[in-house]
Amino acid sequence: HTLIHKSDGLFSFGFNHSGQLGIGNCENQNKATLVTNRNDIVQISCGSSHSSFLTSNGNVFCFGFNGCGQLGLGHNENRNKPTQISSLNHHKIIQICCGSHHTAVLSEKGNVLTCGYTNYGQLGDGTIDNKNIPVSMICDSSICSIGCGYYNIFFLVVI
């Protein structure tokens, strides 16, 4: 699936079996379809079957497959419309990324919070138990950027 952010909104198309297009249903789309016309979106990210976006005031919204808790909503139910991760409201989030079945966010204070699948330890909290709410992986003010791979998370650190 694909997300496109334009001046007139967020659009998506492609495979939609779990609602990862965020359009309110699970029907595949072969053309760009409006997800939201919000004009405060500053970043978007796609995982294997989930998606997220970040707003200018630091709010994170996720949608799609949630079987491992990767939407960070405190449960494992799929969402076919953007849903805000309210547990992050006390953090000023500056970056998001989606891995295969996990999500990571970076706060302005350098706190990396993660949720979702962690069978290989990719959430970095010392366990192999999936998390359906974001947990703190590391907090280091020298972290300036994060990224996710299929089963990993990486950091760019200012030295």
Side-chain angles (χ1 to χ4, degrees), residues 32-54:
T33 304
L34 181 67
V35 176
T36 180
N37 60 0
R38 294 183 70 118
N39 62 3
D40 62 345
I41 296 173
V42 295
Q43 188 181 11
I44 58 176
S45 185
C46 293
S48 291
S49 299
H50 73 292
S51 306
S52 65
F53 65 82
L54 175 66

Side-chain angles (χ1 to χ4, degrees), residues 45-48 50 97-104 117 120 122-123 146-155:
S45 185
C46 293
S48 291
H50 73 292
C97 63
C98 295
S100 174
H101 290 87
H102 62 288
T103 302
Y117 185 69
Y120 302 105
Q122 62 267 41
L123 298 188
I146 59 173
C148 289
Y150 198 79
Y151 287 134
N152 63 344
I153 299 170
F154 50 92
F155 314 105

Side-chain angles (χ1 to χ4, degrees), residues 4 26 34 66 76 84 117 120 155 158:
I4 301 171
C26 293
L34 181 67
N66 195 31
N76 288 44
Q84 185 175 351
Y117 185 69
Y120 302 105
F155 314 105
V158 176

Side-chain angles (χ1 to χ4, degrees), residues 50-69:
H50 73 292
S51 306
S52 65
F53 65 82
L54 175 66
T55 64
S56 59
N57 62 358
N59 291 324
V60 180
F61 292 79
C62 290
F63 42 100
F65 181 68
N66 195 31
C68 303

Side-chain angles (χ1 to χ4, degrees), residues 128-147:
I128 56 168
D129 299 320
N130 295 346
K131 303 293 185 292
N132 61 20
I133 57 170
V135 294
S136 184
M137 171 194 239
I138 188 172
C139 189
D140 186 332
S141 61
S142 64
I143 297 172
C144 63
S145 185
I146 59 173

Side-chain angles (χ1 to χ4, degrees), residues 88 90-96 104-113 138-141 143-144 146:
L88 295 174
H90 60 284
H91 297 276
K92 169 68 171 155
I93 303 302
I94 59 171
Q95 189 179 3
I96 57 171
V105 301
L106 174 64
S107 78
E108 69 180 353
K109 294 182 179 179
N111 194 5
V112 178
L113 298 112
I138 188 172
C139 189
D140 186 332
S141 61
I143 297 172
C144 63
I146 59 173

